[in-house]
Amino acid sequence: MRMPHLEGIRCEQIHTPRLTFHVLFAGPPDGEPVVFLHGNVSSATFWEETMLTLPPGFRAIAPDLRGYGESERRPVDATRGLRDFSDDVHALVETMGLARFHLVGHSMGGGIAMQYAIDHAERIFSLTLVDPLSPYGFGGTKDPEGTPCWPDYAGSGGGTANPEFVRRLAAGDRGEESDFSPRRVLRAFYGKAPFLHPREDILVESMVRTAVGEENYPGDFQISANWPGIAPGTRGVNNAMSPKYCNLSALAAIDPKPPILWIRGAEDVVVSDHSLFDFGYLGSIGLVPGWPGEAIYPPQPMVAQTRRVLERYEAAGGRYQEEEIPDAGHTPYLERPEVFQEILHAYLRR
């Protein structure tokens, strides 16, 4: 079954040298291109409302990334960090003939956008990061400089995903009987809880189309002697975001330096200095036993890490703008669309 889309959204399969993409479009074909990258366990359909409301003269382009939505399922080599995804995006824009474009990334897509800017800064008019992955990856670091808690980066990678959620995702669970069903996870964590969206059924359908397994989401893992007992493997999405392989701090030194907009929901519990998906924070509040304490494994300061890299970007001659949207969680573009759009549109026009 093909995913239904909002009126005004067009879709196309685009073949590139790396993989076949399912891509959504909105706006005039000759408009200034804005490329949207979605987050983990979602797809381009999350961007549809934002795509349809871009100012006149802009063209919205949103691909399903590898292993998500209706794009081709290919393994993720986690030892390359997010470069598999960045290289995919580059193959897509090259195939489409996009010389330059605005780039917008949410969550994991924000990390991919940073990696793309490191690899191809000259192609970007502007960079917008929406509740982005920390430049030092997800899990296992303890200060604004991204210092690892353990040498093996225990507490990050493929073993950090809840196994019952993974099982239900793989089974295509569209119900709401379990707290670990994709629908209940969407309501509890993707936005400020309870997050109830008019297109909830479509968003859930998008989630359950995620490729699940050791090669994709969440990836493989290794047993560790260090708390909390699991360390990154070498395959799959969550390992690609582990700080063992993912370090995007080189963003501060890219040249040329496109202007950067950083937007985040004030109530985000996913990418946060107190993330409910971070073992350091969960251990500190007693939800994971055996926590070795603040000095060894504190909560990862994800927001502080992003701010530190962007301050370095600014000190090196770049410009960045930080916007916090109150009363919004991890997806402010879906929760408070009018506020989000006002900020994004003003930025794009400038």
Side-chain angles (χ1 to χ4, degrees):
M1 182 186 78
R2 300 300 299 272
M3 287 278 289
H5 301 295
L6 294 173
E7 185 176 353
I9 296 290
R10 305 180 300 278
C11 63
E12 186 178 340
Q13 295 292 117
I14 297 181
H15 303 282
T16 78
R18 289 183 60 81
L19 76 155
T20 299
F21 280 96
H22 177 252
V23 187
L24 304 184
F25 297 92
D30 61 347
E32 196 165 293
V34 184
V35 176
F36 293 89
L37 304 180
H38 64 79
N40 201 3
V41 193
S42 60
S43 77
T45 198
F46 274 64
W47 286 117
E48 289 190 32
E49 288 85 355
T50 305
M51 296 171 69
L52 289 169
T53 58
L54 284 184
F58 289 92
R59 179 193 189 198
I61 303 165
D64 290 341
L65 298 169
R66 83 163 48 195
Y68 294 93
E70 297 179 64
S71 283
E72 188 175 356
R73 299 187 174 202
R74 289 282 184 92
V76 175
D77 179 357
T79 65
R80 303 187 70 229
L82 294 170
R83 290 181 182 88
D84 271 359
F85 294 106
S86 174
D87 289 350
D88 291 346
V89 172
H90 192 58
L92 176 64
V93 299
E94 287 279 275
T95 300
M96 294 180 62
L98 302 182
R100 295 187 72 194
F101 50 93
H102 302 275
L103 185 57
V104 182
H106 169 237
S107 193
M108 178 186 76
I112 297 167
M114 284 187 262
Q115 183 64 62
Y116 190 88
I118 292 167
D119 298 339
H120 305 285
E122 73 285 351
R123 304 296 288 268
I124 301 174
F125 285 129
S126 70
L127 179 63
T128 298
L129 306 174
V130 185
D131 295 84
L133 173 71
S134 162
Y136 296 105
F138 202 102
T141 61
K142 60 183 178 182
D143 58 28
E145 303 299 327
T147 305
C149 299
W150 303 113
D152 65 352
Y153 296 88
S156 68
T160 62
N162 182 284
E164 180 61 11
F165 172 70
V166 173
R167 187 186 73 79
R168 289 179 175 272
L169 189 69
D173 182 357
R174 296 162 177 81
E176 54 183 299
E177 296 79 17
S178 168
D179 287 343
F180 303 105
S181 70
R183 187 178 300 270
R184 295 280 290 274
V185 169
L186 175 75
R187 292 176 182 176
F189 302 111
Y190 278 51
K192 180 182 177 182
F195 172 50
L196 301 173
H197 193 268
R199 290 198 302 132
E200 180 178 89
D201 287 347
I202 303 303
L203 300 183
V204 171
E205 184 64 34
S206 160
M207 294 170 69
V208 301
R209 297 190 183 204
T210 300
V212 177
E214 292 190 345
E215 302 285 354
N216 296 102
Y217 176 84
D220 61 346
F221 66 93
Q222 299 180 27
I223 301 300
S224 173
N226 299 313
W227 186 89
I230 45 99
T234 60
R235 297 173 289 161
V237 175
N238 285 17
N239 291 311
M241 292 189 285
S242 163
K244 182 174 183 178
Y245 310 114
C246 179
N247 185 332
L248 306 167
S249 61
L251 179 71
I254 64 172
D255 183 37
K257 286 182 160 53
I260 297 178
L261 172 63
W262 175 25
I263 307 178
R264 56 192 181 84
E267 309 295 330
D268 189 355
V269 297
V270 179
V271 175
S272 165
D273 289 351
H274 305 93
S275 170
L276 293 177
F277 293 80
D278 170 42
F279 275 97
Y281 180 65
L282 295 174
S284 74
I285 60 175
L287 292 182
V288 179
W291 182 57
E294 190 85 18
I296 295 174
Y297 211 117
Q300 180 184 355
M302 301 180 190
V303 173
Q305 289 174 346
T306 299
R307 187 175 293 115
R308 181 65 57 87
V309 169
L310 292 179
E311 287 171 348
R312 288 178 181 154
Y313 187 80
E314 188 172 62
R319 289 186 293 119
Y320 88 92
Q321 171 184 336
E322 179 180 349
E323 298 282 352
E324 182 181 80
I325 298 181
D327 240 11
H330 192 55
T331 52
Y333 56 94
L334 289 175
E335 300 168 81
R336 302 203 61 196
E338 298 85 0
V339 178
F340 179 87
Q341 290 160 19
E342 182 180 3
I343 295 169
L344 178 64
H345 294 179
Y347 176 70
L348 291 175
R349 289 190 184 103
R350 285 200 300 271

